Amino acid sequence: QVQLVESGGGSVQAGGSLRLSCAASGYTGSTYYMSMAWFRQAPGKEREGVAAIYTGGGSIVYADSVKGRFTISQDNAKDVLYLQMNSLKPEDTAMYYCAATWVAPNRALAASKYNYWGQGTQVTVSS
């Protein structure tokens, strides 16, 4: 059973940066073979796909709202997924979740494509 644990959330002012981490464990193999993604959910809103990485890191997808500001990456040797978030805005405030699946998704930012989820880490951006 794949286990995902997020860390790195916090409170920052608009324009600031945070780096989220997601440590994967509980399986045989490597995150190289996983499709992994970051999602976020603000109060009263649906869960939104932020960024995804798959096919050994060869494919990366971002939501339009974060393009040019967020960068997804993975360290397959350490089985850790990262999300570097720069130029943060108050509208980025949300609970951020790490997700994974063993199948390359045809819609990489669709929550329904992912089987495994972390518990989330809160990001709060003040104006």
Side-chain angles (χ1 to χ4, degrees):
Q1 182 75 0
V2 176
Q3 297 170 345
L4 304 172
V5 179
E6 302 96 334
S7 61
S11 297
V12 296
Q13 290 190 329
S17 298
L18 284 173
R19 188 175 80 156
L20 305 184
S21 299
C22 171
S25 62
Y27 55 91
T28 300
S30 167
T31 51
Y32 178 89
Y33 300 103
M34 285 186 182
S35 299
M36 302 189 75
W38 289 98
F39 288 80
R40 65 186 181 187
Q41 188 166 19
K45 294 189 177 182
E46 292 186 356
R47 191 165 294 191
E48 172 192 22
V50 174
I53 185 167
Y54 53 105
T55 58
S59 299
I60 292 176
V61 178
Y62 294 100
D64 288 343
S65 57
V66 306
K67 280 182 182 176
R69 300 189 298 123
F70 290 12
T71 302
I72 189 171
S73 62
Q74 62 186 145
D75 184 333
N76 294 317
K78 297 180 180 179
D79 290 345
V80 178
L81 178 72
Y82 299 102
L83 185 68
Q84 177 66 45
M85 305 187 295
N86 298 328
S87 303
L88 283 161
K89 304 175 181 180
E91 50 263 44
D92 294 319
T93 295
M95 185 71 78
Y96 282 71
Y97 298 91
C98 174
T101 179
W102 290 109
V103 179
N106 55 1
R107 290 167 55 218
L109 296 182
S112 62
K113 300 299 182 180
Y114 294 86
N115 306 107
Y116 307 103
W117 292 85
Q119 294 300 306
T121 185
Q122 178 68 36
V123 172
T124 302
V125 184
S126 58
S127 58

